[in-house]
Amino acid sequence: MTVAILALQGAFAEHGYMLDRLSVDHFELRQKKDLERPFDALILPGGESTVMGKLLLELGLFAPLRERILSGMPVFGTCAGLILLAKNVEHDKSHFATMDISVKRNAYGRQLGSFYIEEEMQGVGRIPMTFIRAPYIEAVSGNAEILATVNKKIVAAREGNQLVTAFHPELNDDTRVHEYFLQMIK
Amino acid sequence: MSENRYELNKQLAQMLKGGVIMDVTTPEQAKIAEEAGACAVMALERIPADIRAAGGVSRMSDPKMIRGIQDAVSIPVMAKCRIGHFVEAQILEAIEIDYIDESEVLSPADDVYHINKHDFKVPFVCGARDLGEALRRIAEGASMIRTKGEPGTGDIVQAVRHMRMMNSEIRRIQNMRKDELFEAAKQLAVPVSLVEYVHENGKLPVVNFAAGGVATPADAALMMQLGAEGVFVGSGIFKSGNPAKRAAAIVQAVTNYTDAKLIAELSAGLGEAMVGINEQEISLLMAERGK
């Protein structure tokens, strides 16, 4: 099993460390020729969604990756990665728009609003959650299901092959969310 | 500042990695920067090249101007305060800036003490020329480091020197015996716990960007290949012929910094780069401020 980590900008290396700990093969996806390497799943990391959205288009990665996501390849988006997958982004344009969720960017305000909490995630258990200038999900529709809420805001969801968290499991010392994702890869 | 807040502040810097932070002086420039792919903007009244040209005392920007930039973009907004000027920092915290740059680009307000950054909830980035400076700033509470370089010159030589110096000192610490770390801490004038971290991990405990003199996609890629985790571009963008195009090219060069073919394409037809001045031609070395 090989996982590609989108490495255009942001905290992609941290996802790699998590996969190293789980002894899972992975590589960084930076440009079109990297798509020639076989991979079974994709991680969209935290960072700035505006930057990644733009570079996906400029580097010719957008259409091929969207096609793979639509055809069922497991994908895991954290923070900015969640925004990339959402069909609706409040006051902003959507990117892959493959997942039936509505998202509010910078929903907790500026850096002073960033926070850490421990909460329950369905199918995973009680886990550390780090929110950095994070979005939250305002609503899910269609087949998307809620996996976690914090203070009544939706912060994790899944729709078939797509898993998203508004927080950063890659920043804490707990590999359980990554393990959950790896179980989605058949 | 609680341990938790410091962690969150270091983690915001992790989200900026692989990105380009651009100096902007107006909401319009901030929008150009965001559309070109900046991962954050640095709001300041005058870019370093103009500060250099104008001379005189340079201070924190007008909060009204910073607010205008905060309203214009959705990416993080940083702003500079003078070295040691903790009241300017308090003001920037009051307007909820995402990152404060305690910067040698502005005139220092204190020629002995830096700000005790542990007193603040908002994160700080500070410049450093070598490992000692970097670890001293981290001991004071900085959650991100950048090379000083020589701001406003378009001359990359100092940023290269600072990055090489920092990395060679890190390698030296890494190769020491454990019982040599105490003496190293003494020589660097930093806490031994930070030296131990460098010894064990072979890197700084916070994210490290390049800054000062970056003017071309090749400059940005050079700094990345030398080990920077991202790049600040100050005067290089809005002092050039075609800011939007140059900014976008630098962003792509930072993402694919080892792909010479792509960087060749990105470097073609960018229009005029900022003219620049060589370090020997200037009388004011900003990098000498705040050690």
Side-chain angles (χ1 to χ4, degrees):
Chain A
M1 184 201 315
T2 301
V3 178
I5 303 172
L6 189 70
L8 301 179
Q9 189 268 322
F12 45 84
E14 288 76 355
H15 281 286
Y17 303 145
M18 293 306 257
L19 295 180
D20 283 341
R21 286 176 55 189
L22 296 167
S23 305
V24 172
D25 187 39
H26 60 88
F27 69 93
E28 293 179 354
L29 189 63
R30 290 174 187 269
Q31 50 179 270
K32 213 169 172 181
K33 71 170 183 235
D34 296 332
L35 292 171
E36 291 160 18
R37 288 179 69 168
F39 58 98
D40 308 292
L42 174 66
I43 290 180
L44 306 173
E48 283 301 319
S49 60
T50 52
V51 180
M52 288 187 238
K54 180 174 188 290
L55 289 171
L56 279 168
L57 287 170
E58 286 178 355
L59 295 164
L61 290 168
F62 183 83
L65 287 180
R66 184 166 193 271
E67 202 171 302
R68 292 198 200 199
I69 295 167
L70 286 173
S71 63
M73 183 187 65
V75 58
F76 176 21
T78 58
C79 195
L82 173 156
I83 295 167
L84 292 178
L85 292 170
K87 278 195 182 162
N88 298 301
V89 184
E90 194 187 89
H91 303 310
D92 216 332
K93 61 172 189 222
S94 58
H95 300 278
F96 287 126
T98 50
M99 192 168 176
D100 277 313
I101 53 174
S102 296
V103 171
K104 188 177 161 80
R105 278 186 72 200
N106 301 331
Y108 298 95
R110 301 186 178 281
Q111 174 61 5
L112 283 172
S114 294
F115 65 102
Y116 171 88
I117 197 168
E118 284 169 22
E119 269 293 351
E120 208 60 45
M121 177 166 163
Q122 202 182 307
V124 178
R126 195 174 174 82
I127 49 164
M129 297 182 180
T130 297
F131 293 82
I132 305 289
R133 279 176 51 96
Y136 61 65
I137 301 170
E138 290 187 298
V140 298
S141 59
N143 293 322
E145 48 174 334
I146 298 168
L147 294 184
T149 57
V150 168
N151 300 325
K152 295 179 183 159
K153 306 293 185 198
I154 307 166
V155 297
R158 178 176 175 180
E159 179 178 346
N161 59 315
Q162 303 180 70
L163 174 69
V164 291
T165 61
F167 53 92
H168 293 279
E170 77 280 11
L171 292 181
N172 297 110
D173 203 28
D174 191 314
T175 55
R176 281 177 291 167
V177 181
H178 286 80
E179 289 170 48
Y180 177 96
F181 175 59
L182 294 174
Q183 282 174 4
M184 290 166 55
I185 310 168
K186 284 284 180 291
Chain B
M1 185 175 58
S2 71
E3 194 55 36
N4 183 356
R5 183 52 54 188
Y6 184 58
E7 281 304 310
L8 292 167
N9 287 340
K10 283 200 292 184
Q11 286 162 341
L12 175 59
Q14 284 175 268
M15 295 305 141
L16 300 173
K17 282 191 300 183
V20 181
I21 300 168
M22 302 182 193
D23 277 2
V24 297
T25 57
T26 63
E28 292 71 33
Q29 287 186 354
K31 278 195 183 125
I32 292 171
E34 184 177 45
E35 278 158 24
C39 69
V41 289
M42 177 74 70
L44 72 174
E45 209 112 318
R46 280 179 294 186
I47 53 175
D50 291 338
I51 291 175
R52 203 173 270 293
V57 175
S58 55
R59 311 177 177 88
M60 178 192 78
S61 299
D62 183 341
K64 185 181 166 194
M65 167 268 187
I66 297 170
R67 280 210 185 98
I69 288 171
Q70 286 175 315
D71 291 340
V73 295
S74 65
I75 54 179
V77 177
M78 305 182 164
K80 291 182 192 291
C81 73
R82 284 179 267 176
I83 289 174
H85 205 315
F86 49 83
V87 175
E88 285 187 349
Q90 290 163 3
I91 292 169
L92 292 173
E93 180 169 71
I95 61 171
E96 300 202 12
I97 204 75
D98 290 301
Y99 240 98
I100 297 175
D101 185 357
E102 185 183 15
S103 177
E104 69 283 3
V105 169
L106 306 182
S107 308
D110 194 318
D111 54 7
V112 179
Y113 299 104
H114 278 71
I115 296 172
N116 175 6
K117 294 163 273 286
H118 295 289
D119 281 347
F120 291 79
K121 286 186 182 140
V122 290
F124 280 79
V125 54
C126 288
R129 296 177 305 171
D130 52 38
L131 184 62
E133 283 189 11
L135 295 181
R136 284 195 290 279
R137 299 296 86 78
I138 293 167
E140 294 156 4
S143 43
M144 179 176 182
I145 292 292
R146 55 172 176 75
T147 59
K148 284 179 170 171
E150 192 49 37
T153 60
D155 187 355
I156 198 69
V157 64
Q158 297 227 19
V160 168
R161 190 183 297 150
H162 300 163
M163 188 59 76
R164 279 193 185 273
M165 172 62 83
M166 213 179 296
N167 288 334
S168 79
E169 289 178 300
I170 287 173
R171 285 191 296 272
R172 189 173 65 88
I173 299 285
Q174 241 186 319
N175 289 326
M176 281 180 176
R177 279 166 53 101
K178 267 204 158 154
D179 58 4
E180 293 167 344
L181 299 179
F182 303 100
E183 176 62 18
K186 193 174 89 184
Q187 284 174 8
L188 291 169
V190 300
V192 71
S193 61
L194 290 176
V195 176
E196 283 166 350
Y197 181 95
V198 172
H199 176 67
E200 277 159 34
N201 297 280
K203 62 186 185 77
L204 296 180
V206 303
V207 167
N208 186 17
F209 269 46
V214 176
T216 66
D219 289 346
L222 172 68
M223 295 313 300
M224 293 297 287
Q225 288 197 28
L226 284 173
E229 296 180 279
V231 173
F232 283 85
V233 188
S235 317
I237 289 174
F238 289 100
K239 274 284 163 195
S240 74
N242 188 341
K245 195 172 174 191
R246 181 168 294 267
I250 292 175
V251 169
Q252 278 208 39
V254 166
T255 296
N256 282 295
Y257 60 91
T258 56
D259 186 339
K261 253 188 178 165
L262 180 69
I263 299 170
E265 271 172 49
L266 293 170
S267 306
L270 283 183
E272 220 160 312
M274 75 177 283
V275 177
I277 15 173
N278 293 307
E279 64 168 348
Q280 296 82 359
E281 298 168 354
I282 50 178
S283 49
L284 173 67
L285 280 176
M286 291 175 174
E288 293 296 323
R289 292 167 165 173
K291 298 171 186 174

